[in-house]
Amino acid sequence: MLSHFLCLQLFAAFFLSVANGQLHPDTPARYVRLPSLRQQAAILDSWRDERTANIPALLKKYGVSAWLMSQREYAEDTLWWSIKGATEYAPHRRTVVLFHTNTSSPPPSGSVPDSSSSPPPNPLRWVDNTGAVWPELRRTLEELDPRRIALNTDKYIAVGGGLHVGEYEALAEELGENWMERTVNEPMLAVEYVAARVAGQLAYYRDLQETTWALIEEAFSERVVIPGLTTTEDVEWWYREKMLLLNVTTWNHPRVSVITPESFPGWAGTKDVVREGDLLHVDFGITAMGMNTDVQHMAYVLRTSQGETDAPAGLTEGLRKANRMQDIVLSYMEANKTGNQVLNESLIQMAAEGIEGQIYCHPIGDWGHAPGAVIGFTNLPEFVPVLGELHILPNTYYSIELYAYHFVPERNESLRFRVEENVHWVSESEGWKFVYGRQERYHLINATSSAPPTLQPVFVVQP
């Protein structure tokens, strides 16, 4: 009788033999045209309204009566960027925002309602640089009489700690001991609000993912890469120029490297000339419509001078192992588990299947690294304090980021096969699905192609 371990090994081998082509899109990705900026603003404001409408219920969940934020230009509360209007680029003067649970009470006197809110206003909002906000805020608090007032003062979770020290001191001075005694630190308010998605975002997020893939497919092709001439830095700046022409931007500079045993987690291979036989890697994402993508793909530069037409089998096997790791993580990534639970269970399964590697997944959405439970860090491979102890939230997006460590016999060396794809929550199945797909075969760069190389992106104007 086969041992349990051997059964697991056989199952893993079978899975790896059939995984290729299952989730990799069959057709080339397209550059998807987004709505006009004016249309985008209307869409973003509708999403903002839908999200902020959920805040009173969120406050009640955590036993909080009100949520108070105060900020000035250059001293914004982190949460500001997820509650502001689409055409607001900074808070004006001092902007004070108060969410509350008194949804059936008359509007407090002196408040300035948000234009998208219906009476009673929620949030209440003041814009002032004369000091007049403080007596109005005190009067409002007297009328609402909140028992627990949340301030974003957490020292461990960044999104819940965005109240600047100067603003805190101003609140303490102007509100006085009576109201400051009622203030509490509840960082999960910010975590849950910022992480949660609304239904209308997914279709546009798929478009952003497809455009991300299209950028990678073009960058890792003969149109951009000329072996022996093009450098990895050339490709990085090609991405930056091309994104501007597509009317999108980025939240991190694209990092293109030649994968070597030394190329992780440092910077080895990021300033190389691309040559035949190189295994290339990119880590980047785009930003548009208030959302971010984060993707890592690999490409192989064919040895066309030797008649090579595909990547060596050893490299293909390394990618397949990385795909298997993605499946393992997603199979254990259940809502309400902690990130560390998912990490530990995944590592145990990897060991049982004889797979070496590392996991470092994170939420994504309003930010490239959005708030919520992380599943490993590059420097904390087995347990992450604080952020790893948060619970996986449903109705969010995640970046499944990891590498498989695999010996490549054709090179007589072990390499890290680094991949990353974004997934979204599927409420019907209470699980996760890749937003656009995942890389299951290499982007191949064929130096003999007749396609004319161009390091300067063709200028495109979106109608």
Side-chain angles (χ1 to χ4, degrees):
M1 180 178 291
L2 291 171
S3 69
H4 176 67
F5 178 75
L6 183 55
C7 287
L8 286 173
Q9 292 288 83
L10 290 174
F11 169 78
F14 171 77
F15 183 91
L16 292 173
S17 70
V18 301
N20 190 48
Q22 288 183 334
L23 296 170
H24 196 118
D26 294 329
T27 57
R30 304 167 299 120
Y31 292 120
V32 182
R33 187 176 69 187
L34 298 175
S36 69
L37 294 179
R38 187 174 187 175
Q39 291 171 322
Q40 287 185 40
I43 294 169
L44 289 172
D45 283 344
S46 70
W47 292 344
R48 185 272 319 270
D49 293 345
E50 188 175 352
R51 296 170 72 188
T52 56
N54 295 323
I55 287 181
L58 189 60
L59 297 180
K60 293 176 182 178
K61 175 180 177 178
Y62 287 98
V64 171
S65 309
W67 193 5
L68 179 61
M69 283 151 264
S70 180
Q71 57 254 305
R72 289 169 293 163
E73 189 174 7
Y74 314 124
E76 299 88 354
D77 192 305
T78 311
L79 196 77
W80 163 260
W81 305 108
S82 296
I83 63 173
K84 71 176 187 66
T87 58
E88 292 182 291
Y89 285 81
H92 298 288
R93 303 181 178 92
R94 170 174 276 117
T95 297
V96 177
V97 178
L98 181 69
F99 289 95
H100 58 88
T101 57
N102 297 49
T103 54
S104 59
S105 303
S109 58
S111 62
V112 181
D114 184 280
S115 61
S116 65
S117 305
S118 57
N122 201 0
L124 299 162
R125 180 170 170 176
W126 296 264
V127 176
D128 174 65
N129 63 354
T130 67
V133 60
W134 302 122
E136 292 183 6
L137 178 59
R138 289 193 295 268
R139 184 166 58 251
T140 296
L141 292 175
E142 289 168 2
E143 294 174 359
L144 295 177
D145 194 26
R147 308 313 301 172
R148 300 178 79 234
I149 306 168
L151 299 179
N152 295 328
T153 57
D154 196 77
K155 63 180 180 180
Y156 296 112
I157 300 175
V159 74
L163 180 64
H164 284 241
V165 172
E167 292 303 287
Y168 179 86
E169 292 177 350
L171 286 172
E173 180 179 336
E174 296 294 342
L175 295 185
E177 184 176 347
N178 177 52
W179 292 113
M180 292 305 290
E181 284 181 346
R182 301 192 189 188
T183 62
V184 296
N185 170 41
E186 186 45 80
M188 287 307 297
L189 289 174
V191 171
E192 288 208 31
Y193 172 76
V194 176
R197 306 289 86 196
V198 294
Q201 291 177 304
L202 183 56
Y204 291 103
Y205 197 52
R206 284 197 182 102
D207 290 343
L208 297 187
Q209 292 289 341
E210 183 168 5
T211 293
T212 303
W213 273 62
L215 281 160
I216 295 173
E217 289 174 6
E218 185 173 3
F220 282 161
S221 75
E222 311 78 34
R223 293 192 60 193
V224 174
V225 176
I226 308 170
L229 177 63
T230 305
T231 69
T232 52
E233 288 180 299
D234 290 335
V235 182
E236 291 176 354
W237 287 103
W238 178 91
Y239 276 111
R240 292 292 300 274
E241 296 285 351
K242 185 73 173 187
M243 283 186 280
L244 285 179
L245 300 180
L246 294 172
N247 208 21
V248 302
T249 184
T250 185
W251 60 279
N252 64 344
H253 183 75
R255 180 178 172 182
V256 178
S257 61
V258 177
I259 291 183
T260 69
E262 297 79 26
S263 61
F264 180 91
W267 295 93
T270 57
K271 294 185 178 182
D272 284 9
V273 175
V274 178
R275 303 186 186 281
E276 288 189 357
D278 280 347
L279 181 61
L280 302 181
H281 173 267
V282 64
D283 181 359
F284 93 112
I286 67 172
T287 301
M289 298 192 71
M291 298 182 289
N292 299 272
T293 66
D294 193 5
V295 174
Q296 294 183 43
H297 279 197
M298 294 178 289
Y300 180 69
V301 186
L302 293 171
R303 299 179 187 273
T304 52
S305 60
Q306 301 175 24
E308 194 173 46
T309 59
D310 203 354
L315 295 182
T316 300
E317 189 69 9
L319 176 56
R320 288 176 176 174
K321 281 188 177 180
N323 288 155
R324 174 59 187 148
M325 286 178 61
Q326 291 172 322
D327 292 324
I328 289 173
V329 172
L330 291 175
S331 70
Y332 288 108
M333 196 171 145
E334 299 173 13
N336 299 317
K337 285 183 178 180
T338 68
N340 285 328
Q341 281 180 282
V342 177
L343 177 62
N344 182 60
E345 291 168 353
S346 298
L347 292 176
I348 290 173
Q349 184 64 34
M350 285 166 52
E353 298 184 19
I355 299 175
E356 295 182 63
Q358 191 174 339
I359 299 165
Y360 34 96
C361 308
H362 59 85
I364 191 168
D366 288 13
W367 304 88
H369 293 158
V374 301
I375 307 171
F377 268 162
T378 56
N379 65 324
L380 298 169
E382 297 180 349
F383 182 87
V384 180
V386 183
L387 296 181
E389 289 296 274
L390 299 182
H391 291 82
I392 303 291
L393 297 172
N395 193 33
T396 56
Y397 301 159
Y398 260 82
S399 276
I400 306 304
E401 185 177 8
L402 48 83
Y403 73 75
Y405 194 59
H406 175 70
F407 177 73
V408 183
E410 295 91 341
R411 295 176 176 236
N412 194 33
E413 62 183 3
S414 294
L415 297 175
R416 293 170 176 85
F417 292 80
R418 295 145 55 191
V419 295
E420 182 175 16
E421 302 288 357
N422 304 141
V423 298
H424 68 94
W425 176 257
V426 181
S427 57
E428 293 80 7
S429 61
E430 296 190 345
W432 306 89
K433 182 178 180 180
F434 290 103
V435 176
Y436 180 72
R438 73 173 178 192
Q439 183 183 20
E440 295 178 337
R441 56 181 181 266
Y442 288 104
H443 305 284
L444 298 177
I445 299 173
N446 182 358
T448 63
S449 171
S450 59
T454 171
L455 282 174
Q456 295 299 320
V458 177
F459 185 66
V460 177
V461 177
Q462 292 203 40

